[in-house]
Amino acid sequence: MALGLLVLSSCLLPSLTLAASSSGFPTSAFTVPGAFPTSIYSKYYNNPTATSAQVQPIISDPVTHEIYPLELTNPDVIPTINTKDPHPLPPTASSSKLLQSAIAQVKSIANSTILNGTCAKCIASMEVAKFLALAAPEQGPTFAVELCNFFGFSSTCNATYGPHALGGVVTQVVSNADIGGLDGEMLCQNFLSLCPRPPTSPLNLTGWFAKPKPDPLPAPKTPSGERLKVLHLSDLHLDPRYSTGSEASCSSALCCRANNFNTTSPDTPVFPAPRFGTYSCDSPYALILSALEAIPVLTDTKDADFDFMVFTGDLVSHDPENENSREFVEYSETVLFDLIKRTLRSGPVYATLGNHDSYSQAQGSPNSLDSPGANQYSWNYDHVSALWEYEGWLNGSTVQSARTHYAAYSVQRSDGLKVISLNTNLWYRPNYFNYINMTNPDVSGMLRMLTDELQESEDAGERVWIIGHVLSGWDGTNPLPNPTNLFYQIVDRYSPHVIANIFWGHTHEDQHSIFYANNATNISAETALAQAWIGPSITPLTNLNSGFRLYEVDSATFEIMDAFTWKSDVNTFPDLDAQLQFGPTYAFEYSTREAYGQNITGWTDSDPLNATWWHLVTEAMEADNSLVTTFNTFQGKESVLSPTCTGDCATAKICYIRSGSASIGLQNCETGFGSVQ
C-alpha cells in the first residue's frame, strides 16, 4: 500500500495536561499538536504541511489494489453525476406478470379503507408509476423527474431523481411495492406526507422462537472483578473534499465545500471553514487525526491495548446522491479502517455499516428482489468484509457469512462473548428499499438470523453484545415500526440472561434506550430487561461537539461497570487557524456512574449499569429535572448550540429513554424533542 507508518514520536505527546479527573485516568485533557502528522502517509497529492488546505493522501486499496485518483476527493472539482456505477434497473416485466400484478393491485385498492383526499390521489398516482416501472423501467427515472418538477418536490429534481441518482432506486422500489397496500401508504406518508401514518402492523410470533423463554431464568454469571477496556467510536464522517476557508455557512447541501456558498455573499465566505472543522460540516482529515491522536493518551492505552473496540457505523460524508459513488464509499472505508488499525492500540474492531456507508439514502436491498436488484450492493458487502479480514478483525468464515448477509455477522470470542453485528439500514426509514413488502417485518431475513444466533447462545450459556447503526427506538423518527417492533420482542425473549448490551450510533448524539418486558406495557425497574448505548459522534455535524467513549466491562458477565466520555469544543476551532503549535483539545466530559448514580440507592460500585439501573436513573430524573438538564447537556457533548430542555421537553426526554422501538416512541411520547441539533 502507498501508506506510510504513523510514528507517535515525542512531538505527538500531549502538549497540555490537566489535573487527573475523578474518572481515575491520569490525563484529563489532551491538546493535539497543530501541525498535521505528515508521517501518517508516505505520499500526498498536495503539500501536507500547508495550513490553507486539507491533506490529500495517495491511497491504495488493499482489496481492489486500486490507487484512488485525486479527482475522487479534489475539493475544487466535485463531480455532479456518477456514470461509472449507476444503480441497475429492474428487468422488463412479462405480459403474465403485468396481468398478475394488475389483479393483485386492484384487490389491494378494493380492500383499502383510506382511499380519500390527498392520500387516495397519491396511491392512485403510485399505481400509474408502478405499471410504468414494470412495463418500461427505463422510463422510470424520467417519470420521477417530471413529477418532481410538476409538484415542486425539490429544486434539484434531475440531480436527485435522474437515471444516475435515485431514479433507478425509486423505479425498482415502485415496481416491487404493494402500492395498494401498506407499502403505498408508507411511501406516500414518509416521502410525500400525503397519507397519515399507518399503525404498527399486528405481529404474529407463532413459531418464531424455537423454545419458550426459560422460567426460571438461568442463574446470572458471577462477576470476575476484572475489567476490560472497550472503545466505542461512531459516525466519523470523513469529508476528504473538505475545503479549508470555503463557506461554512452555506445556504444548502453540505457546507465547507468549494462548490457551495451563502446566497447572501456568493463571492466571499460569511464564515470561512476552519482547518479542524465546524458545527455545520463533516470531519476534515485534520479532525479525524486529532481524535485518533488523543484517544490513546486520554484512555491510558498508549502502552496497553484496548481489549476490543466497537464501531457503530458511518465512515462516509453526507454527500448528496449525485456526488456519491461506489468508489467514494470504498475510498472512505479503506482510509478510515486503515487509520483506526494503525493509530489505536486495539484488539479486534467489530464494525457495522452506517446508512451513509452505502450511498446517501442508506440503500440496501433485500436479496429477494429479481436480478439484477438482488445483488446490487454486494460490491460493498464484499469490499468492507474483505477490509475487516485484511485488518485481522474477522476470520475467513465470518467474512464469507458477512458477504452474503448484508455485511451482518456473528463472532464468537474465546472469552465467552458473542458479538452480533446487524445492518440496521434494513429498518431505516429513508431507505427506499424498505418500502417493499412492509407487512413482513423481516424481508431481509436479518432478524431471523439474529434470533437463531441468540438461541444458540442461550443453549450454550453465552453472553451477547448486539451492535448496529440506526437505533431501534428513542423518539421513533429514524427507524420503521414493524421491524423494530419484532426486534423489541426478540430482545424481550433473550434478556437479560443472554443479551448483555446493545450499541447504536447514527444520531451523532449521546443517548440511551431501555427495553422492558411485554412490549413496555408495564414500565418499571422490575420489568427493565436490556439497554442500548447510543454513541457520540466524531463529526460535529450538526451543531454538536466531537466525542468518543470508553467502557469498563466485567470480563465474565460482560456488563458495563462504567462508561467514560470525552469531547472537544468545536466552538474553539476557528481560533486554531493560522498557527501550527496547537490543535483541538479533547477533554474528559463525564463518568456515567458519577453523573447519574448519585441518587440511586442500594447500588454499589460492584453493580453494573444495566437496564434496572438506567430505569432508576429515569425515576431520579422524574424526581429531579436537573438530571434531565444534565442528560440534555451531554446529549450534544456540551455544545454551546444545544437548546435547553425543561417542561414538556424533560417529560419527553425521559419517555424517549424508555422507548426501545419506533412503535413505543411514537405511541407513548410527545414528538419534537428528540434531538439537540
Side-chain angles (χ1 to χ4, degrees), residues 404-454:
T404 56
H405 290 84
Y406 315 100
Y409 60 86
S410 170
V411 174
Q412 180 59 61
R413 290 171 49 84
S414 60
D415 57 10
L417 176 68
K418 178 185 283 186
V419 179
I420 302 175
S421 176
L422 303 178
N423 183 347
T424 55
N425 298 328
L426 297 167
W427 68 41
Y428 186 37
R429 187 179 298 273
N431 181 1
Y432 286 97
F433 289 106
N434 290 336
Y435 292 77
I436 299 171
N437 194 15
M438 296 192 78
T439 54
N440 181 351
D442 188 33
V443 176
S444 68
M446 181 180 66
L447 296 179
R448 177 73 266 160
M449 179 272 285
L450 171 65
T451 305
D452 294 343
E453 289 286 348
L454 290 170

Side-chain angles (χ1 to χ4, degrees), residues 585-614:
T585 296
Y586 278 86
F588 181 77
E589 187 180 20
Y590 75 103
S591 151
T592 301
R593 184 182 289 273
E594 291 179 1
Y596 300 117
Q598 301 302 312
N599 296 321
I600 307 302
T601 58
W603 217 265
T604 70
D605 288 344
S606 61
D607 292 319
L609 307 188
N610 59 15
T612 302
W613 185 85
W614 272 104

Side-chain angles (χ1 to χ4, degrees), residues 166-391:
L166 290 172
V169 170
V170 173
T171 303
Q172 287 188 73
V173 172
V174 171
S175 72
N176 285 278
D178 177 15
I179 298 300
L182 180 61
D183 298 351
E185 292 181 53
M186 288 294 289
L187 283 166
C188 288
Q189 187 275 322
N190 186 67
F191 294 103
L192 301 173
S193 300
L194 296 175
C195 283
R197 179 184 290 113
T200 303
S201 300
L203 184 61
N204 182 2
L205 292 176
T206 303
W208 184 267
F209 298 113
K211 300 177 182 179
K213 189 170 185 174
D215 185 16
L217 293 175
K221 292 185 179 297
T222 302
S224 68
E226 177 188 352
R227 296 195 178 187
L228 307 176
K229 278 189 173 183
V230 179
L231 180 68
H232 184 179
L233 285 185
S234 196
D235 295 87
L236 299 176
H237 287 291
L238 170 67
D239 185 1
R241 295 164 172 168
Y242 187 103
S243 178
T244 302
S246 64
E247 182 60 77
S249 181
C250 64
S251 298
S252 63
L254 187 61
C255 297
C256 301
R257 293 290 188 83
N259 64 335
N260 288 331
F261 55 90
N262 190 305
T263 54
T264 65
S265 180
D267 299 321
T268 304
V270 174
F271 176 30
R275 178 160 48 105
F276 290 101
T278 186
Y279 288 123
S280 56
C281 304
D282 269 328
S283 306
Y285 261 107
L287 178 58
I288 296 288
L289 262 296
S290 296
L292 295 178
E293 285 181 62
I295 287 170
V297 178
L298 294 171
T299 58
D300 197 22
T301 53
K302 289 186 298 178
D303 302 315
D305 296 351
F306 294 107
D307 290 279
F308 60 94
M309 172 181 157
V310 292
F311 174 70
T312 48
D314 267 3
L315 304 158
V316 184
S317 54
H318 291 76
D319 286 70
E321 176 74 15
N322 59 298
E323 294 178 5
N324 214 327
S325 66
R326 167 179 174 173
E327 189 176 36
F328 192 65
V329 170
E330 291 176 332
Y331 171 93
S332 299
E333 292 170 345
T334 300
V335 165
L336 290 174
F337 287 135
D338 169 74
L339 280 176
I340 289 171
K341 174 72 171 184
R342 292 194 291 118
T343 58
L344 300 180
R345 295 182 61 87
S346 174
V349 176
Y350 303 117
T352 188
L353 280 183
N355 58 301
H356 287 275
D357 298 336
S358 191
Y359 288 107
S360 63
Q361 285 293 338
Q363 291 159 33
S365 58
N367 293 334
S368 56
L369 288 180
D370 294 335
S371 181
N375 299 312
Q376 61 192 298
Y377 296 104
S378 61
W379 61 268
N380 200 19
Y381 310 144
D382 290 345
H383 184 259
V384 75
S385 301
L387 285 175
W388 294 336
E389 182 176 29
Y390 175 83
E391 302 296 358

